[in-house]
């Protein structure tokens, strides 16, 4: 029997690829080349499914070139690399990997915020350079995390995870802004207060960005927003590059209009704005917030579960556009 053909667009756990091979004829990418649009299109010839990461753009032009494609399974919770309306219009199911990475990503967001507030990267670099010759009363003094005001922009699952850590573990006052307000029973255990964006910017001691990227969140934090923050505040971005105007942030950090930033994501990554690389008061990590071994395995397996279910008549666990399944059910 001929197996359906799929593409695994990036290197992933061999066990996941082996599992996919029990259901499909798999073209994988063990050398982990990041395909440009033309190469991705070439590799998708004859494929009914694609296992993707945030690096692969699935847009209308690609979908039009591959009418045989039925499912695109992203190994990521974020899916700004997918044109969802284009997928839905063509009956292509899109899936992502929510939930399995929530706590791991919230751990990292909190760690990055703490590293930023307490100047961990800057002080470690100082020590490694051999510059530590004596204790000094104000050496690398930062700002307290415990008891301060935690601001969350984007209060989905990961945002709530960061808020829980702050409120329950560190006695932080939590304020947040989001498209929609949480239910009272979600706000109450963490004492979270819904505020408008201007209040969030003005009152947060530590602002953490956890909102999805879209045209409407592009440069949600730019020069004006940075100017509205406290000069002692920190900004942490574990969401997506492009939500922050990195050039404006570099300028604000240079002029100490905010104290420091922690960035796991960048506009145009893996390129990083050169000014950020030269500044001491920014902690930079290479998009690793979900990178615990257990969570990356869970993400890969969930993406595989989605592909297998979608192409073998099962129910995909985490569809982004379930209306495609409803259309198929009705057909
Ligand atoms: C991924 C992420 O590692 O899930 C997301 O949205 O940003 C990360 O967990 C990355 O997108 C690679 O797919």
């Amino acid at each position: 029997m001929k197996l359906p053909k799929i593409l695994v667009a990036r290197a992933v756990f061999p066990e996941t690829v082996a599992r996919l091979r029990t259901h499909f004829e798999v073209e994988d990418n063990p050398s982990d080349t990041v395909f440009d649009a033309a190469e991705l299109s070439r590799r998708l010839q004859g494929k009914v499914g694609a296992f993707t990461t945030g690096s692969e753009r699935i847009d209308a032009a690609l979908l039009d070139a591959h009418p045989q494609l039925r499912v695109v399974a992203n190994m990521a919770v974020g899916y700004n690399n997918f044109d969802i309306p284009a997928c839905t219009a063509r009956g292509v199911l899109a899936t992502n990997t929510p939930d399995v990475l929530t706590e791991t990503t919230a751990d990292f967001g909190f760690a990055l915020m703490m590293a930023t507030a307490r100047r961990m990267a800057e002080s470690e670099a100082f020590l490694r350079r051999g510059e530590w010759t004596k204790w000094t009363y104000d050496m690398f003094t930062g700002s307290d995390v415990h008891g301060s005001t935690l601001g969350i922009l984007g209060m989905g699952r990961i945002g709530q995870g960061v808020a829980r850590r702050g409120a329950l573990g560190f006695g932080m006052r939590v304020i947040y802004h989001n498209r929609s307000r949480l239910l009272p029973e979600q706000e109450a255990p963490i004492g979270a207060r819904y505020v408008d964006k201007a209040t969030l910017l003005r009152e947060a001691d530590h602002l953490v960005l956890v909102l999805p990227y879209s045209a409407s969140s592009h440069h949600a934090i730019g020069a004006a927003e940075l100017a509205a923050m406290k000069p002692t505040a920190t900004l942490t971005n574990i969401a997506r590059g492009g939500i922050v105007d990195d050039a404006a942030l570099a300028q604000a950090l240079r002029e100490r209009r905010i104290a420091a930033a922690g960035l796991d994501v960048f506009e145009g990554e893996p390129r990083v704005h050169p000014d950020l690389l030269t500044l001491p008061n920014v902690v930079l990590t290479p998009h690793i917030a979900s990178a615990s071994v257990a969570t990356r395995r869970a993400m890969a397996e969930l993406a595989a579960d989605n592909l297998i279910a979608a192409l073998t008549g099962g129910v995909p666990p985490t569809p982004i556009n379930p209306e495609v399944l409803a259309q198929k059910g009705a057909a």
Side-chain angles (χ1 to χ4, degrees):
M1 195 188 76
K2 261 178 106 103
L3 296 174
K5 291 184 185 172
I6 67 159
L7 174 70
V8 177
R10 297 290 306 280
V12 70
F13 297 100
E15 298 85 338
T16 307
V17 177
R19 184 172 157 233
L20 289 167
R21 285 197 202 283
T22 65
H23 297 272
F24 308 117
E25 186 181 321
V26 177
E27 176 176 342
D28 65 345
N29 178 8
S31 68
D32 205 26
T33 311
V34 180
F35 302 141
D36 63 17
E39 183 62 14
L40 180 62
S41 186
R42 205 178 67 71
R43 303 262 176 172
L44 280 171
Q45 295 300 331
K47 309 295 193 304
V48 292
F51 182 117
T52 59
T53 71
S55 311
E56 288 73 47
R57 172 113 197 102
I58 305 292
D59 57 18
L62 188 78
L63 295 169
D64 285 340
H66 297 285
Q68 83 289 346
L69 194 61
R70 288 169 50 203
V71 52
V72 286
N74 220 23
M75 182 180 153
V77 65
Y79 49 84
N80 54 299
N81 56 315
F82 287 177
D83 181 338
I84 296 298
C87 288
T88 307
R90 290 159 183 79
V92 174
L93 182 74
T95 68
N96 67 340
T97 60
D99 303 317
V100 291
L101 49 60
T102 301
E103 299 302 328
T104 297
T105 305
D107 280 352
F108 190 88
F110 208 83
L112 186 56
M113 182 265 282
M114 290 200 80
T116 303
R118 297 301 308 275
R119 305 176 64 180
M120 284 188 175
E122 189 185 351
S123 59
E124 202 220 25
F126 164 88
L127 182 151
R128 283 183 191 270
R129 287 194 305 269
E131 291 177 25
W132 186 28
T133 54
K134 61 179 192 301
W135 179 90
T136 309
Y137 80 98
D138 62 351
M139 190 167 73
F140 294 109
T141 46
S143 59
D144 277 324
V145 169
H146 73 274
S148 66
T149 297
L150 173 61
I152 309 267
L153 185 57
M155 197 58 145
R157 290 163 289 223
I158 298 170
Q160 290 173 57
V162 173
R164 248 189 337 269
R165 283 158 177 76
L168 307 181
F170 291 78
M172 298 176 89
R173 186 172 85 97
V174 175
I175 55 176
Y176 74 98
H177 183 70
N178 196 35
R179 274 174 308 190
S180 52
R181 191 173 167 168
L182 297 180
L183 299 170
E185 55 268 37
Q186 293 173 300
E187 287 183 349
I190 48 175
R193 187 162 66 90
Y194 182 82
V195 294
D196 60 23
K197 191 174 165 190
T199 307
L200 184 79
L201 294 168
R202 194 175 60 242
E203 292 190 7
D205 293 311
H206 302 292
L207 179 60
V208 182
L209 309 180
V210 208
L211 66 167
Y213 180 77
S214 67
S216 61
S217 64
H218 181 74
H219 287 188
I221 302 293
E225 289 75 17
L226 292 161
M229 291 172 68
K230 297 180 186 180
T232 50
T234 72
L235 173 72
T236 298
N237 187 6
I238 55 165
R240 277 290 179 273
I243 291 175
V244 176
D245 177 344
D246 284 349
L249 175 61
Q251 195 177 343
L253 289 168
R254 192 179 316 106
E255 294 168 5
R256 304 274 166 173
R257 281 189 278 111
I258 66 167
L263 305 175
D264 187 49
V265 288
F266 304 87
E267 279 190 288
E269 64 185 49
R271 278 176 293 114
V272 175
H273 193 290
D275 292 357
L276 291 171
L277 296 171
T278 65
L279 291 165
N281 51 342
V282 56
V283 184
L284 306 167
T285 53
H287 202 149
I288 56 167
S290 69
S292 74
V293 178
T295 289
R296 285 287 166 84
R297 281 193 189 283
M299 292 164 67
E301 286 300 303
L302 181 52
D305 291 345
N306 277 309
L307 262 180
I308 293 166
L311 293 171
T312 63
V315 180
T318 50
I320 300 164
N321 55 353
E323 54 274 37
V324 169
L325 296 170
Q327 287 160 13
K328 292 216 162 85

